[in-house]
Amino acid sequence: MSDQTQDDHHIELTPEEARQGFRGEDALAVVAVSTFLAATGLTAFFVTTALGG
């Protein structure tokens, strides 16, 4: 049994070509929303523990 598969759509890229990724606006939106939610969660945690103790 062979582990090799034949793929007619295989494209060889140089390291420079492989690094040319496109992040787009969706990634920026995900980072912005997750940062906002993390800051809100941490603020809520510290305010509730400071007031409760």
Side-chain angles (χ1 to χ4, degrees):
M1 191 165 166
S2 176
D3 290 335
Q4 294 179 343
T5 60
Q6 293 182 355
D7 187 9
D8 295 334
H9 302 290
H10 183 75
I11 299 172
E12 290 289 332
L13 295 176
T14 65
E16 291 78 19
E17 290 172 328
R19 288 189 206 110
Q20 304 277 330
F22 178 71
R23 295 187 184 138
E25 296 175 2
D26 292 338
L28 179 61
V30 169
V31 170
V33 169
S34 62
T35 301
F36 174 75
L37 291 175
T40 302
L42 285 172
T43 302
F45 173 75
F46 286 122
V47 167
T48 56
T49 54
L51 296 177

